[in-house]
Amino acid sequence: MKNDVWSKKCDDIISDFFRNIYEAVELNKKIKLKNLCLNLTEPNETCLGRSKGEPRGAFKSNESMVEIFEQLFEIKKIDSKQFASIKVLSDMKFYVDGVGNDTISDIVTTLIRRQLLIYTKNQCDLYGIPTEKRTSKPFWNEITSRWEKEEDIEQLIISGKRILLVPKNIVFAEGYYTFTKEQFVQHDMLSYLQKIELQTPNSTLIKHRAPKKNQTVGDPFVTKESLRDRDKVDKKKNILEFSSKYPEIMNNFKDKEHFSSLNIIEFFEISNNELTDSQYNELIEAFIKTLKKIPKGKMYADEYHEFILGLLTFIFYPSLSNPKKETPIDNKRKRIDITYINTADKGFFSNLKSEITSNYIYVECKNYSSSISNPEFDQLAGRFNESTSKVGMLVCRECDNLAFERASGQFRRKNELLLIITDELLIGMLKNMKLTELNTDISLLAHEKHLYELKRKTEVEKY
């Protein structure tokens, strides 16, 4: 699970639902289980599948979902220890027939539908996309532990169809995701069974390699294919039996890093398109040229603010996600405030989480032709608090040392980090994001060296 506030909220929802499922099975309450599954039908609002025309997902009927969960009763009846191995919803794709990634994805979408509705509304507000008030489809409320609907909630409707937007940092594609039954069987389960088989006297599966020098008999080995054929390890009931007997193997598998957010090039690949290295570099160069062309001053503030929103989202994805445009505090001054959720699992923003409260990153944009001063710092610092975040970015065209001294003073006095992001720094980061012979992987976050240097400057006392 990702460790940002949005993901944790979703995990609470999913965990509460499965806790209710688990309790219903433990107490043999079949009617309760059917009621819990009542609203589990295939959601078509996300459009993440590849079907053309009428959706053809992992399941469509509620009856099929009830049948899937009812298998838990049989598992518990046969072996309560094996049933205890099924601890979370995602375990079911390893142990329960008819459950795969698509099924889990559909269940999760239905459960967290309200979170996705809120996210969709925020993104529509961000880009000026109209929404309509309608009663929502069912979602799971982890506080009341029941299915609910919400009346008059804003929704994205396109050609009469409800659409849910999904944060791209939680979207995975099969080829980039290793938390699967196949991966566990091939690389963890079979590897362990090989070790056990080699210790089994007179095993007919043990073969010997050609003897080395000074060897009478070559080194013994057991092929995974021979174990697969004999033990039928791909059957889910056998995987469950194995995991129940050797729980540490599954626990170790779960502890591995199986998911990383897709980068822009990978998104093009899974949509059967191509973004070449040169095209990617051209995109970065276009950002640089556009930034340089926007004039300073109040007259061009809106253009600058909108551009910065897109630019920051591009530069800092997937570390910063779910941008939300805030309501202005002073209606007389038109400005754009942005809040990002810190979704980083590596790099600068991930490290911040262990140093300072930074669940969110607040952003203020100032297209001033003059230097920024105390009111701008106070405006941003006024949003800080201990429970949400004490980190913000003040994005401006340029600044003097006095501005850095103010930011440094704020850090020393209150342990609040104000990162001053100028045109020069943005251009520096963009240039470091370009793909070259020395920088061939856009996931290496080479541009973040500018942020480490900026943080170091902010933490020192004098310039």
PDB file of all heavy atoms in Angstrom, residues 294-306:
ATOM      1  N   ILE A 294       6.159  33.890 -21.231  1.00  0.00           N
ATOM      2  CA  ILE A 294       5.092  34.516 -20.435  1.00  0.00           C
ATOM      3  C   ILE A 294       5.635  35.767 -19.752  1.00  0.00           C
ATOM      4  O   ILE A 294       6.567  35.683 -18.948  1.00  0.00           O
ATOM      5  CB  ILE A 294       4.539  33.529 -19.385  1.00  0.00           C
ATOM      6  CG1 ILE A 294       3.948  32.294 -20.058  1.00  0.00           C
ATOM      7  CG2 ILE A 294       3.477  34.228 -18.515  1.00  0.00           C
ATOM      8  CD1 ILE A 294       3.498  31.226 -19.089  1.00  0.00           C
ATOM      9  N   PRO A 295       5.057  36.927 -20.036  1.00  0.00           N
ATOM     10  CA  PRO A 295       5.550  38.173 -19.415  1.00  0.00           C
ATOM     11  C   PRO A 295       5.240  38.203 -17.922  1.00  0.00           C
ATOM     12  O   PRO A 295       4.305  37.553 -17.443  1.00  0.00           O
ATOM     13  CB  PRO A 295       4.769  39.268 -20.160  1.00  0.00           C
ATOM     14  CG  PRO A 295       4.236  38.614 -21.391  1.00  0.00           C
ATOM     15  CD  PRO A 295       4.000  37.180 -21.026  1.00  0.00           C
ATOM     16  N   LYS A 296       6.029  38.964 -17.206  1.00  0.00           N
ATOM     17  CA  LYS A 296       5.781  39.161 -15.779  1.00  0.00           C
ATOM     18  C   LYS A 296       4.697  40.212 -15.595  1.00  0.00           C
ATOM     19  O   LYS A 296       4.455  41.033 -16.468  1.00  0.00           O
ATOM     20  CB  LYS A 296       7.061  39.627 -15.082  1.00  0.00           C
ATOM     21  CG  LYS A 296       8.233  38.672 -15.207  1.00  0.00           C
ATOM     22  CD  LYS A 296       9.488  39.289 -14.622  1.00  0.00           C
ATOM     23  CE  LYS A 296      10.710  38.404 -14.847  1.00  0.00           C
ATOM     24  NZ  LYS A 296      11.953  39.034 -14.359  1.00  0.00           N
ATOM     25  N   GLY A 297       4.051  40.172 -14.442  1.00  0.00           N
ATOM     26  CA  GLY A 297       3.084  41.214 -14.119  1.00  0.00           C
ATOM     27  C   GLY A 297       1.672  40.697 -13.946  1.00  0.00           C
ATOM     28  O   GLY A 297       1.321  39.593 -14.383  1.00  0.00           O
ATOM     29  N   LYS A 298       0.844  41.516 -13.314  1.00  0.00           N
ATOM     30  CA  LYS A 298      -0.528  41.151 -12.962  1.00  0.00           C
ATOM     31  C   LYS A 298      -1.375  40.810 -14.182  1.00  0.00           C
ATOM     32  O   LYS A 298      -2.224  39.913 -14.142  1.00  0.00           O
ATOM     33  CB  LYS A 298      -1.163  42.300 -12.188  1.00  0.00           C
ATOM     34  CG  LYS A 298      -2.535  42.000 -11.632  1.00  0.00           C
ATOM     35  CD  LYS A 298      -3.037  43.166 -10.800  1.00  0.00           C
ATOM     36  CE  LYS A 298      -4.402  42.875 -10.216  1.00  0.00           C
ATOM     37  NZ  LYS A 298      -4.904  44.015  -9.397  1.00  0.00           N
ATOM     38  N   MET A 299      -1.135  41.483 -15.301  1.00  0.00           N
ATOM     39  CA  MET A 299      -1.933  41.274 -16.504  1.00  0.00           C
ATOM     40  C   MET A 299      -1.820  39.833 -17.014  1.00  0.00           C
ATOM     41  O   MET A 299      -2.755  39.294 -17.607  1.00  0.00           O
ATOM     42  CB  MET A 299      -1.499  42.256 -17.598  1.00  0.00           C
ATOM     43  CG  MET A 299      -2.328  42.154 -18.875  1.00  0.00           C
ATOM     44  SD  MET A 299      -1.741  43.303 -20.136  1.00  0.00           S
ATOM     45  CE  MET A 299      -2.033  44.873 -19.304  1.00  0.00           C
ATOM     46  N   TYR A 300      -0.689  39.203 -16.760  1.00  0.00           N
ATOM     47  CA  TYR A 300      -0.459  37.846 -17.279  1.00  0.00           C
ATOM     48  C   TYR A 300      -0.469  36.802 -16.159  1.00  0.00           C
ATOM     49  O   TYR A 300      -0.001  35.676 -16.342  1.00  0.00           O
ATOM     50  CB  TYR A 300       0.892  37.805 -18.011  1.00  0.00           C
ATOM     51  CG  TYR A 300       0.976  38.795 -19.142  1.00  0.00           C
ATOM     52  CD1 TYR A 300       1.567  40.051 -18.948  1.00  0.00           C
ATOM     53  CD2 TYR A 300       0.437  38.502 -20.385  1.00  0.00           C
ATOM     54  CE1 TYR A 300       1.627  40.983 -19.977  1.00  0.00           C
ATOM     55  CE2 TYR A 300       0.494  39.425 -21.426  1.00  0.00           C
ATOM     56  CZ  TYR A 300       1.092  40.658 -21.212  1.00  0.00           C
ATOM     57  OH  TYR A 300       1.142  41.576 -22.233  1.00  0.00           O
ATOM     58  N   ALA A 301      -1.033  37.184 -14.998  1.00  0.00           N
ATOM     59  CA  ALA A 301      -1.019  36.284 -13.837  1.00  0.00           C
ATOM     60  C   ALA A 301      -1.781  34.991 -14.109  1.00  0.00           C
ATOM     61  O   ALA A 301      -1.308  33.897 -13.779  1.00  0.00           O
ATOM     62  CB  ALA A 301      -1.598  36.997 -12.623  1.00  0.00           C
ATOM     63  N   ASP A 302      -2.967  35.108 -14.712  1.00  0.00           N
ATOM     64  CA  ASP A 302      -3.769  33.906 -14.965  1.00  0.00           C
ATOM     65  C   ASP A 302      -3.041  32.930 -15.881  1.00  0.00           C
ATOM     66  O   ASP A 302      -3.019  31.714 -15.636  1.00  0.00           O
ATOM     67  CB  ASP A 302      -5.111  34.288 -15.581  1.00  0.00           C
ATOM     68  CG  ASP A 302      -6.037  34.972 -14.582  1.00  0.00           C
ATOM     69  OD1 ASP A 302      -5.688  34.987 -13.385  1.00  0.00           O
ATOM     70  OD2 ASP A 302      -7.084  35.493 -15.000  1.00  0.00           O
ATOM     71  N   GLU A 303      -2.460  33.469 -16.950  1.00  0.00           N
ATOM     72  CA  GLU A 303      -1.725  32.616 -17.893  1.00  0.00           C
ATOM     73  C   GLU A 303      -0.564  31.924 -17.198  1.00  0.00           C
ATOM     74  O   GLU A 303      -0.329  30.714 -17.390  1.00  0.00           O
ATOM     75  CB  GLU A 303      -1.206  33.462 -19.057  1.00  0.00           C
ATOM     76  CG  GLU A 303      -0.445  32.653 -20.105  1.00  0.00           C
ATOM     77  CD  GLU A 303       0.113  33.529 -21.222  1.00  0.00           C
ATOM     78  OE1 GLU A 303      -0.184  34.752 -21.227  1.00  0.00           O
ATOM     79  OE2 GLU A 303       0.845  32.989 -22.080  1.00  0.00           O
ATOM     80  N   TYR A 304       0.152  32.665 -16.372  1.00  0.00           N
ATOM     81  CA  TYR A 304       1.298  32.108 -15.646  1.00  0.00           C
ATOM     82  C   TYR A 304       0.840  31.044 -14.646  1.00  0.00           C
ATOM     83  O   TYR A 304       1.416  29.949 -14.574  1.00  0.00           O
ATOM     84  CB  TYR A 304       2.029  33.231 -14.919  1.00  0.00           C
ATOM     85  CG  TYR A 304       3.137  32.777 -14.002  1.00  0.00           C
ATOM     86  CD1 TYR A 304       4.342  32.293 -14.508  1.00  0.00           C
ATOM     87  CD2 TYR A 304       2.979  32.832 -12.618  1.00  0.00           C
ATOM     88  CE1 TYR A 304       5.361  31.880 -13.665  1.00  0.00           C
ATOM     89  CE2 TYR A 304       3.995  32.429 -11.762  1.00  0.00           C
ATOM     90  CZ  TYR A 304       5.177  31.952 -12.295  1.00  0.00           C
ATOM     91  OH  TYR A 304       6.182  31.543 -11.453  1.00  0.00           O
ATOM     92  N   HIS A 305      -0.215  31.345 -13.902  1.00  0.00           N
ATOM     93  CA  HIS A 305      -0.698  30.411 -12.893  1.00  0.00           C
ATOM     94  C   HIS A 305      -1.145  29.091 -13.516  1.00  0.00           C
ATOM     95  O   HIS A 305      -0.799  27.999 -13.022  1.00  0.00           O
ATOM     96  CB  HIS A 305      -1.865  31.034 -12.124  1.00  0.00           C
ATOM     97  CG  HIS A 305      -1.461  32.187 -11.258  1.00  0.00           C
ATOM     98  ND1 HIS A 305      -2.369  33.093 -10.771  1.00  0.00           N
ATOM     99  CD2 HIS A 305      -0.253  32.587 -10.806  1.00  0.00           C
ATOM    100  CE1 HIS A 305      -1.724  34.005 -10.048  1.00  0.00           C
ATOM    101  NE2 HIS A 305      -0.446  33.717 -10.073  1.00  0.00           N
ATOM    102  N   GLU A 306      -1.908  29.167 -14.587  1.00  0.00           N
ATOM    103  CA  GLU A 306      -2.379  27.950 -15.245  1.00  0.00           C
ATOM    104  C   GLU A 306      -1.214  27.131 -15.803  1.00  0.00           C
ATOM    105  O   GLU A 306      -1.202  25.899 -15.736  1.00  0.00           O
ATOM    106  CB  GLU A 306      -3.362  28.287 -16.362  1.00  0.00           C
ATOM    107  CG  GLU A 306      -4.674  28.918 -15.893  1.00  0.00           C
ATOM    108  CD  GLU A 306      -5.551  27.963 -15.099  1.00  0.00           C
ATOM    109  OE1 GLU A 306      -5.268  26.749 -15.111  1.00  0.00           O
ATOM    110  OE2 GLU A 306      -6.512  28.425 -14.468  1.00  0.00           O
TER     111      GLU A 306
END
